[in-house]
Amino acid sequence: MRALTWHGRRDVRVDTVPDPSIEEPTDAIVRITSSGICGSDLHLYEVLGPFLEEGDILGHEPMGVVETVGSQVTELSAGDRVVVPFNISCGTCYMCEAGLQSQCETTQVRQRGMGASLFGYTKLYGEVPGGQAEYLRVPFANTLPIKVPEGPPDERFVYLSDVLPTAWQAVEYAAVPPGGSLAVLGLGPIGDMACRVALHRGAGKVFGVDLVPERLERAAARGVRVVDLREHESDVGDVIREMTDGRGPDSVIDAVGLEAHGAPAAALAQRLAGMLPGTMAEKVMTRAGVDRLAALLTAIDVVRRGGTISLSGVYGGMTDPLPLMTMFDKQIQLRMGQANVRHWVDDIMPLLADGDPLGVEGFATHKVSLEDAPWAYRAFQAKEDGMVKVLLQP
């Protein structure tokens, strides 16, 4: 089959690799019909190379059609249309039953002290072949895949793999009071969708902060009050406070993460670590790694006293200096973590069958063939061509 594989920093290629096969009686093989490129895939493209091996298959936002199933699979049949969540969860352990599928005790990567395995996402998360490919082996086929109906296009459902539950959880964790205010830092796919979810769920004011014109325009068209970071990099907190009675928003979502704009020293440290030999780079990043904290520090500044910060952006540093005195003094509540995809499906699915209030159809700015994936990674990373969300179509 053809699959997108990692070969080094800013070097991904579409290669011919062996087809996946049934390895356990509860496996299914899914023929992929759509697969998203996620903002966190760009961390693999740029920063997290020490945790990848050449030839690793990337991608964690797939959907498709079941080709074949193992002998113990009773909930799926060949021909079923399914979305595959990005976190690999058994559905039956203590954590899964508690709704914390991202901490699944069956697939935790214990040798590295990490949570549930993820498709296509480094040694830290199990080094499981991903879904930017023609076929994908899906374990726990009785409990993990999400069956969806025939008829609507893939774009109606594919975001159940990551974007929708991640944005939904970000808003849930933000705990915006009814009619309250929310600032979303970063208007990439997750930040954009989080704005839509918050408005749908009754937030009174939603502010969106970014520096990419196309992203700002896209959010503004849906009622978000946008703040252009190019104009307000030094006073974004003051600008938002002026629009919230001088106290700041009730909640802030950081949808940026470890590669935030405006942290040159940390960016240099990340690049230097990536240039070290593989095993040495991995040790440096796991023991002395730093993130670009500009977005998180902005969130801490912007949020009102007693407010809540919700982190959905990926962070990986082990020695990040946080302003704990300020966080304590402002009585900030902080929630974070990988989205528990399966936990939110029942809340989201009705919205996909009733008028599309979140605008999932048309959410992708680009739909390209799998063979064009290397170009899409380059353009997405450079924020070129108005690219906000990409769907690969094998």
Side-chain angles (χ1 to χ4, degrees), residues 5-287:
T5 60
W6 184 89
H7 288 271
R9 182 172 175 264
R10 297 190 184 182
D11 183 3
V12 294
R13 309 172 194 172
V14 179
D15 294 330
T16 299
V17 301
D19 290 352
S21 59
I22 298 292
E23 297 178 14
E24 300 290 339
T26 51
D27 288 350
I29 304 298
V30 175
R31 174 175 56 82
I32 303 302
T33 56
S34 292
S35 189
I37 299 179
C38 181
S40 58
D41 286 329
L42 298 184
H43 301 323
L44 311 184
Y45 190 66
E46 180 72 21
V47 174
L48 297 179
F51 303 105
L52 291 156
E53 296 287 346
E54 187 165 1
D56 280 354
I57 300 173
L58 305 185
H60 59 269
E61 297 186 352
M63 72 171 291
V65 177
V66 176
E67 287 281 297
T68 186
V69 299
S71 60
Q72 293 182 16
V73 176
T74 58
E75 300 301 313
L76 291 180
S77 303
D80 285 344
R81 192 182 189 199
V82 296
V83 175
V84 183
F86 76 91
N87 32 39
I88 304 172
S89 56
C90 69
T92 57
C93 69
Y94 173 87
M95 288 293 179
C96 286
E97 291 187 345
L100 294 170
Q101 289 87 0
S102 66
Q103 311 301 324
C104 174
E105 292 178 321
T106 305
T107 73
Q108 280 179 20
V109 187
R110 289 184 171 83
Q111 66 270 31
R112 292 182 175 271
M114 303 298 282
S117 297
L118 309 179
F119 286 106
Y121 214 81
T122 79
K123 301 173 191 174
L124 292 173
Y125 289 102
E127 207 169 13
V128 180
Q132 289 169 2
E134 291 182 313
Y135 295 93
L136 178 68
R137 182 182 76 89
V138 179
F140 310 111
N142 286 319
T143 52
L144 180 60
I146 304 163
K147 286 181 68 173
V148 297
E150 296 293 336
D154 279 8
E155 199 175 6
R156 180 63 69 101
F157 301 112
V158 66
Y159 305 119
L160 282 170
S161 59
D162 181 353
V163 173
L164 280 167
T166 297
W168 194 275
Q169 179 171 296
V171 173
E172 182 75 19
Y173 282 8
V176 186
S181 55
L182 168 71
V184 177
L185 307 182
L187 295 173
I190 300 302
D192 186 324
M193 186 58 75
C195 290
R196 299 180 186 204
V197 169
L199 288 168
H200 175 76
R201 293 180 58 173
K205 296 180 181 178
V206 175
F207 306 95
V209 181
D210 208 297
L211 46 70
V212 180
E214 295 86 355
R215 295 181 177 187
L216 293 164
E217 292 167 8
R218 178 177 157 110
R222 296 191 68 91
V224 177
R225 305 176 190 212
V226 298
V227 179
D228 191 334
L229 199 59
R230 295 169 301 173
E231 300 174 5
H232 298 289
E233 184 167 3
S234 62
D235 65 345
V236 63
D238 292 335
V239 169
I240 296 177
R241 276 188 285 274
E242 286 177 6
M243 295 187 283
T244 51
D245 300 321
R247 64 176 70 94
D250 299 302
S251 309
V252 177
I253 292 173
D254 172 0
V256 180
L258 61 87
E259 291 188 83
H261 167 79
L268 177 61
Q270 289 173 341
R271 284 197 296 271
L272 292 175
M275 293 176 184
L276 295 171
T279 54
M280 186 181 299
E282 185 178 328
K283 289 178 181 178
V284 167
M285 293 185 73
T286 53
R287 298 177 186 176

Side-chain angles (χ1 to χ4, degrees), residues 306-371:
T308 301
I309 295 174
S310 171
L311 295 188
S312 62
V314 174
Y315 284 96
M318 295 299 288
T319 59
D320 289 334
L322 293 177
L324 289 175
M325 183 172 71
T326 300
M327 295 166 70
F328 180 84
D329 180 64
K330 291 186 73 172
Q331 200 171 333
I332 288 170
Q333 301 175 73
L334 180 62
R335 295 195 72 181
M336 68 188 84
Q338 300 278 10
N340 303 297
V341 173
R342 267 302 198 163
H343 183 67
W344 306 113
V345 168
D346 289 345
D347 292 320
I348 299 168
M349 188 68 84
L351 303 181
L352 305 181
D354 183 20
D356 191 19
L358 301 179
V360 293
E361 289 192 35
F363 187 72
T365 54
H366 293 70
K367 298 177 184 178
V368 303
S369 72
L370 180 62
E371 298 296 327

